[in-house]
Amino acid sequence: MAPSAIIEAAIDAIVHGGYEALSMRGVARTLGVSLGAVQHHFRTKAELYRAVVEYALADADRQRSMEPARDLRQRIRNALDSSSARPGLFAAFLSDRAPGHEERLAHFAEQFRALFAEPAETLAELRPSGAARPVDAEAFMVLLTIGISTIGGVPEAVRSIYGIDLTNEDERNRIADGLADIVNNGILDASAPPSAE
């Protein structure tokens, strides 16, 4: 039994019911193996959950890293693609309120910060070349985090509220292009005269 198969079964449980729905016996039952086969790789439910967080974020990082760091638009597209590959998982991580959730959220946050610290570095690289105007890197990271967790968490809500189908690759690409345009050019037209108030 490969650890990745156990993790995939655990992801399915977490997506459909959060941390409370995850059980070692349930994962074993889903895979048609003994509890001992699961515990051979992951001794406890907490250990399995941490492995799911690390696996999901590493998977997102692989997808996000497929293009050179300087191609901001493609990096955003990759991030949106990777988050939509497992709808509901990031929302389950962030909405976890089961006993002990503080420790689980801290682990997720530590892994997530390590993964998404890089947009600030990308922005810093782009500035000297003139490819991007100065942008508050922390604000940009918050914007990306909100967008990615929304897309990865509740694509059906975004479809209902805004009519945007983020399970569709063309729609994700359109949104990624829009985000990259906002980062590169801002929202306000610099040539427009200031409005009189």
Side-chain angles (χ1 to χ4, degrees), residues 130-189:
R133 66 184 182 81
V135 172
D136 183 317
E138 289 182 347
F140 176 58
M141 287 166 52
V142 168
L143 176 67
L144 276 184
T145 303
I146 292 168
I148 290 167
S149 62
T150 300
I151 289 167
V154 285
E156 64 282 351
V158 175
R159 186 181 317 122
S160 297
I161 296 167
Y162 301 108
I164 302 168
D165 181 7
L166 294 171
T167 62
N168 178 284
E169 182 180 0
D170 291 337
E171 284 290 274
R172 286 195 309 275
N173 288 342
R174 183 178 68 78
I175 296 300
D177 291 349
L179 276 172
D181 178 59
I182 290 167
V183 171
N184 285 326
N185 303 308
I187 294 175
L188 301 177
D189 181 356

Side-chain angles (χ1 to χ4, degrees), residues 5-60:
I6 296 169
I7 290 172
E8 290 289 347
I11 286 172
D12 191 55
I14 292 167
V15 164
H16 290 97
Y19 181 78
E20 291 177 321
L22 176 63
S23 81
M24 303 289 276
R25 289 185 195 286
V27 167
R29 200 170 28 257
T30 296
L31 295 172
V33 299
S34 70
L35 176 60
V38 173
Q39 289 177 322
H40 173 73
H41 296 287
F42 306 100
R43 290 175 297 163
T44 66
K45 175 178 172 175
E47 186 178 316
L48 177 56
Y49 188 85
R50 284 191 301 274
V52 167
V53 168
E54 291 162 15
Y55 180 89
L57 289 174
D59 197 36

Side-chain angles (χ1 to χ4, degrees), residues 100-119:
H101 71 274
E102 297 92 349
E103 182 181 329
R104 289 189 298 277
L105 185 58
H107 180 72
F108 174 79
E110 176 186 343
Q111 300 296 313
F112 191 86
R113 275 193 304 272
L115 179 64
F116 284 96
E118 184 247 333

Side-chain angles (χ1 to χ4, degrees), residues 73-96:
R73 176 171 278 124
Q74 189 62 49
R75 300 290 286 198
I76 295 172
R77 283 184 177 189
N78 289 348
L80 296 180
D81 286 349
S82 65
S83 66
S84 62
R86 300 180 189 283
L89 183 58
F90 286 98
F93 290 151
L94 296 171
S95 62
D96 176 13

